[in-house]
Amino acid sequence: METPTRSHQLTEGVERTPHRALLKSLGITDSEMKKPFVAVINAASDYVPGHTHLHQISKAVKDGIRNAGGVPFEFFTIGVCDGLAMNHKGMRYSLASRELIADSIEIMLTAHPLDAAVFIPNCDKIVPGMLMAAARLNLPSVFVSGGPMLAGKVGGKRVNLSETFEAVGKFHGGNLNAGQIKDFENNACPTCGSCAGMYTANSMNCLTEALGMSLPGNGTEPAVTSARLRLAKETGEHIMQILENKIKPSNVMTQANFHNALAVDMAIGASSNTILHILAIANEAKVPLTLDDIAEISEKIPQLCKLNPASEVFIEDLNAVGGIQAVMCELSKENLIDISAKTVSGTQEERIKKATYSDGEVIRKIDNPFRKTGGLAILKGNLAEKGAVVKRGAVAENMLVFKGQARVFDGEQAAVDSILSGEINAGTVVVIRYEGPKGGPGMPEMLAPTAAIAGMGLDGEVALITDGRFSGASRGVSVGHISPEAAADGLIAYVQDGDEILIDITSGKLQLLVDDSAIAERKKNHVKKTRENYGGYLERYAKMVTSSHTGAVFSINNE
C-alpha cells in the first residue's frame, strides 16, 4: 500500500472532491494528482538587487522538479534589502522581517499541505528566516540561493557596496569630488545578486551550504552564471531524492552541522550578524547553542579567508578556488569538521572528497592562516555581561586592544551627523545605544556610521560600540550586539561622555572603566529614555523580541 503523503490531504478520497476541483481550476491534471507536490518558496521582488533575477532561478528549480517527477507550486515571501533600508526608519524592519518570513512560510505550508520544499533566498534576513521555517516545519527541504553579485570597478580598483558607503565619508572629508562619487554610484554594483563581499547575505548563503541544507556551490557561485542556473535545476531534481529518502531538516540541522557551520563562519571571516541568525535557527531546530559555545569554537578555528570588506578579495574569487567545500576540506585536515554529519546530498565527507584543495592565497593553508583564531569574536565584561560580537577578521592588528574616551549618542543618526561634521577625534569610542532589538526597536544595522568613520580616515583611531548591530560590510573596531541592551537596563545605558572604555579583542573583554560606586549613583538618578511609538508591527515586535544573545527570537512571555 502506498504511504500517504501530506498532499494526500488534498488529493485522496471522495471527501477531497472540492479540493481536487480547486486544484483542477489551476490546471492540475489527474496524473499530476498522483505525483508529489513540492513547494517552491521564492523571495523574488523587483527592487532588491539580490532578488530581481530569482524568477529565472525559480523557473530552473521548477523545471528540475518536473524533470524528476514532481509538481511544483510557487509562492513568495517578503524581503528587505538592507542596503536600501540603511540609515532610515526602514532599517528597523529588517531584522524584524525575519520572524514574519518564517511565520508566513509556516502558514502557507500548513494551510496547503505539500510534500517537500525548495527555498530560494538571497539577502540578509531571508536566508535565516527560511532556515527557521524549514527547521520548524521539518519537511524534506533544500535551499538554492540567487548567488552573489560580481564586484564593480572604480578608478581601476574593484569595489562593492561597502566602498560606496565609505565614499560618502570621503566626500564629506574633502577626499572625493562630485564626479568621483558619481563613479561609485554608477559602477560599484554592476550586476544583480547579493552584494559581492562577505556581507551578511553571502555569509548566510555560505553557512547554509556548510550546514548541509544546500548542494555544494550554493554559497559562492555568482548570480549571473549559467552554472547558477544549472545548480538551481539540479536542486529542483534533487528535492525528489530527498523526499524519496525521507531526509528532513532534523536529520541535517544537527549539533554537529551547526558546529560545522560555525567553523566555516570563523574560517571565512563572515558577518557578525551570522551569530544572531545561527542562534535563532538553532532555537527552531531545538539544538542547544549559546554564545559561550560560539566563543569556544572561535578560539580553535583559524581564519583561512580574508574577504571584502576586510580585503580586495571578493566572493567570486572564493568561488574560483573551490568555494565553501574547499574551505571545509582544509579544515578537515585538522579534524575541525565533523565529516560524518549528514547533508541533503550525502555526508560531509562524501562532499569534501569532491572538493578542490586550498589555493594557499584566497583560502590559506591550515598551517598558514591569516589568524590562528576565528574571524568573529565574542566579548564579555561589565559592558556586555551576556556578550557582544565583533568581526575580528576585519580589525587591524594595532586596534585589537583599544582604550578610548566615550562619546555617547542615543541613536544612530546623531552619531552619523557628528562623525561627518568632523566632531569625532582620534582616541574616541563612539557609543550608540537604544538601538537593540527592543529599544530600537528592530536592532537596526549600522553601516553608515562605520563607513563614515572609515571614510573620514579614522578607522585606525576610533572604535564604535552599540547594542544595535553592524552590516557585514562594516570593518574596523565595530562591536555590536551588546547585551543586555540599554532598553533592558544594560550598563551601556549609564555610560557618559568622557568615560574610559577598554576593548580587548585578544582577551575577549569589553569593560567600562568607571568605579562601581559612580555607576550606582548614576543608576539612582537615571531617567529612563522613552522611545518613539512606531505602532503597527514594530510595537508588537518590541513586546515579543528577546535579547541579541538569544538570537533576538520571539517569546510570548517577554516583557
Side-chain angles (χ1 to χ4, degrees):
M1 182 177 175
E2 185 180 355
T3 303
T5 63
R6 289 179 90 245
S7 62
H8 281 177
Q9 297 174 66
L10 303 176
T11 61
E12 292 292 313
V14 68
E15 292 83 3
R16 299 304 187 232
T17 299
H19 302 69
R20 290 192 296 275
L22 288 168
L23 289 169
K24 286 188 173 182
S25 77
L26 298 173
I28 300 299
T29 66
D30 285 330
S31 64
E32 286 177 316
M33 297 279 189
K34 298 174 184 177
K35 297 177 181 179
F37 285 2
V38 180
V40 177
I41 303 137
N42 191 351
S45 73
D46 287 345
Y47 59 91
V48 180
H51 298 181
T52 189
H53 64 305
L54 294 188
H55 295 291
Q56 189 179 20
I57 298 292
S58 174
K59 181 183 182 303
V61 167
K62 290 188 285 187
D63 286 347
I65 292 168
R66 290 191 181 96
N67 287 349
V71 183
F73 289 82
E74 183 177 18
F75 68 90
F76 299 88
T77 68
I78 61 168
V80 173
C81 173
D82 280 31
L84 293 174
M86 194 74 66
N87 201 25
H88 61 83
K89 179 182 176 181
M91 180 45 71
R92 303 194 182 283
Y93 288 84
S94 178
L95 180 60
S97 72
R98 187 187 69 183
E99 270 56 36
L100 275 180
I101 290 164
D103 291 349
S104 66
I105 294 168
E106 175 193 349
I107 289 168
M108 288 294 288
L109 290 183
T110 307
H112 314 108
L114 276 61
D115 302 310
V118 179
F119 293 83
I120 307 176
N122 231 25
C123 299
D124 299 27
K125 310 310 165 298
I126 298 90
V127 188
M130 287 185 172
L131 283 166
M132 289 165 69
R136 187 185 301 173
L137 291 161
N138 204 30
L139 288 175
S141 300
V142 66
F143 281 64
V144 57
S145 75
M149 184 185 290
L150 297 179
K153 185 171 281 190
V154 174
K157 179 182 176 182
R158 290 199 303 165
V159 299
N160 200 241
L161 187 66
S162 61
E163 289 83 1
T164 306
F165 273 93
E166 290 177 11
V168 175
K170 290 179 180 179
F171 177 81
H172 283 283
N175 297 315
L176 284 180
N177 61 36
Q180 289 171 315
I181 201 166
K182 190 72 173 180
D183 199 9
F184 277 93
E185 180 182 321
N186 289 337
N187 298 303
C189 299
T191 72
C192 62
S194 48
C195 298
M198 190 53 78
Y199 312 157
T200 306
N202 289 325
S203 295
M204 288 308 304
N205 284 327
C206 287
L207 297 193
T208 301
E209 182 177 336
L211 189 61
M213 284 299 294
S214 73
L215 298 182
N218 174 71
T220 59
E221 184 62 52
V224 294
T225 64
S226 297
R228 173 60 62 177
L229 287 178
R230 292 196 300 273
L231 178 64
K233 191 175 291 185
E234 289 162 0
T235 299
E237 293 170 346
H238 190 69
I239 188 59
M240 303 308 293
Q241 292 182 40
I242 294 170
L243 177 60
E244 182 179 352
N245 294 326
K246 298 181 173 62
I247 300 170
K248 295 183 176 181
S250 57
N251 305 126
V252 177
M253 291 194 208
T254 58
Q255 189 167 59
N257 268 333
F258 273 102
H259 285 197
N260 286 340
L262 284 165
V264 170
D265 196 346
M266 302 306 163
I268 62 178
S271 165
S272 59
N273 284 320
T274 58
I275 302 302
L276 274 176
H277 301 322
I278 288 286
L279 288 169
I281 298 160
N283 178 68
E284 290 286 358
K286 296 179 173 56
V287 171
L289 190 67
T290 67
L291 277 182
D292 289 338
D293 298 325
I294 294 169
E296 184 179 339
I297 292 169
S298 175
E299 289 307 307
K300 68 181 182 182
I301 302 296
Q303 185 179 351
L304 303 181
C305 303
K306 201 164 190 175
L307 297 153
N308 179 270
S311 76
E312 295 178 22
V313 179
F314 291 85
I315 302 294
E316 64 198 79
D317 304 315
L318 177 59
N319 185 69
V321 296
I324 295 305
Q325 296 304 308
V327 173
M328 297 183 78
C329 181
E330 197 62 27
L331 290 171
S332 71
K333 293 177 181 178
E334 295 291 335
N335 298 316
L336 298 172
I337 293 290
D338 186 337
I339 61 175
S340 68
K342 295 179 180 178
T343 77
V344 292
S345 58
T347 64
Q348 295 282 15
E349 182 178 23
E350 290 167 337
R351 285 158 59 125
I352 289 170
K353 280 182 178 178
K354 300 174 185 176
T356 59
Y357 290 107
S358 159
D359 69 314
E361 294 182 13
V362 174
I363 305 171
R364 290 276 187 94
K365 300 294 183 183
I366 196 76
D367 57 359
N368 182 38
F370 286 100
R371 279 198 175 93
K372 292 182 179 179
T373 51
L376 297 177
I378 307 301
L379 309 184
K380 286 193 172 183
N382 65 354
L383 255 181
E385 291 181 4
K386 298 291 181 66
V389 182
V390 63
K391 191 170 182 177
R392 174 167 48 193
V395 178
E397 291 291 331
N398 68 305
M399 292 288 286
L400 289 171
V401 179
F402 184 82
K403 186 190 290 185
Q405 291 190 327
R407 182 71 187 278
V408 183
F409 300 93
D410 288 348
E412 176 190 9
Q413 190 57 52
V416 173
D417 293 342
S418 183
I419 295 164
L420 293 178
S421 63
E423 295 175 2
I424 301 300
N425 301 314
T428 300
V429 178
V430 176
V431 179
I432 302 177
R433 61 191 179 192
Y434 295 104
E435 295 287 19
K438 186 176 291 293
M443 203 180 184
E445 190 172 88
M446 298 183 208
L447 179 54
T450 58
I453 288 170
M456 297 290 282
L458 293 169
D459 52 312
E461 302 172 306
V462 168
L464 196 159
I465 69 172
T466 181
D467 52 8
R469 60 194 179 87
F470 293 111
S471 166
S474 295
R475 60 187 176 93
V477 183
S478 303
V479 181
H481 306 199
I482 288 176
S483 182
E485 61 177 293
D489 204 40
L491 186 58
I492 190 173
Y494 303 99
V495 179
Q496 295 181 359
D497 285 347
D499 286 351
E500 273 202 321
I501 292 173
L502 173 66
I503 303 167
D504 187 345
I505 297 171
T506 58
S507 301
K509 293 180 181 177
L510 180 61
Q511 201 77 9
L512 177 66
L513 303 178
V514 174
D515 290 341
D516 289 345
S517 58
I519 292 171
E521 190 64 26
R522 291 179 191 181
K523 288 185 175 182
K524 192 189 305 181
N525 300 314
H526 183 67
V527 178
K528 189 172 182 180
K529 180 181 182 293
T530 57
R531 63 167 174 80
E532 180 182 348
N533 186 324
Y534 286 96
Y537 176 60
L538 273 187
E539 285 304 309
R540 297 197 300 277
Y541 180 86
K543 289 177 181 177
M544 297 181 70
V545 72
T546 58
S547 174
S548 58
H549 76 274
T550 69
V553 297
F554 277 177
S555 170
I556 58 174
N557 298 316
N558 189 33
E559 294 296 335

